[in-house]
Amino acid sequence: MKNYTITVNGNVYEVTVEEGAGSGAASAPKAAPAAPKAAPKAAPAAPKAAAPAGAAGSVTVAAPMPGKILAVKASVGQAVKKGDVILVLEAMKMENDIVAPQDGTIATINAAAGDSVEAGAVIATLN
């Protein structure tokens, strides 16, 4: 048997572990490191950062939430003003207008009517 002193969130615990006694004692230490792996949010950020690199335009328009594209209101090459509707996204049974963040020209439309998109997906780019 081995004795350990473990501090968790400022609380000190005295722990005794039997060597080779059973799988229950071996599973507990493995569970603790699993929790911090779930906490970092860096993995979801990587796809968002990678998406603009592949986009043709310098300004990206990302889906603010997961949903289904109901309509595409603009076409590639079309000049748009800030606030003009580019696409209509249905999320939670509500229609959301996805608008141009600034004046520009549509460089790419990366979604079509009927497509499902995830939050943060680049659905259009502007020049």
Side-chain angles (χ1 to χ4, degrees), residues 16-117:
T16 303
V17 179
E18 286 187 46
E19 294 180 31
S23 61
S27 297
K30 290 181 183 178
K37 289 181 184 177
K41 304 269 179 174
K48 291 179 186 177
S58 58
V59 178
T60 60
V61 179
M65 63 197 81
K68 180 180 179 182
I69 302 296
L70 291 183
V72 178
K73 300 286 188 176
S75 58
V76 174
Q78 178 180 342
V80 292
K81 299 268 186 208
K82 180 179 181 177
D84 286 353
V85 178
I86 300 173
L87 299 115
V88 178
L89 175 72
E90 179 187 40
M92 297 173 20
K93 298 189 181 190
M94 294 181 64
E95 293 183 13
N96 301 283
D97 291 337
I98 307 302
V99 299
Q102 65 185 44
D103 294 353
T105 303
I106 302 291
T108 62
I109 300 286
N110 302 330
D115 287 354
S116 293
V117 295

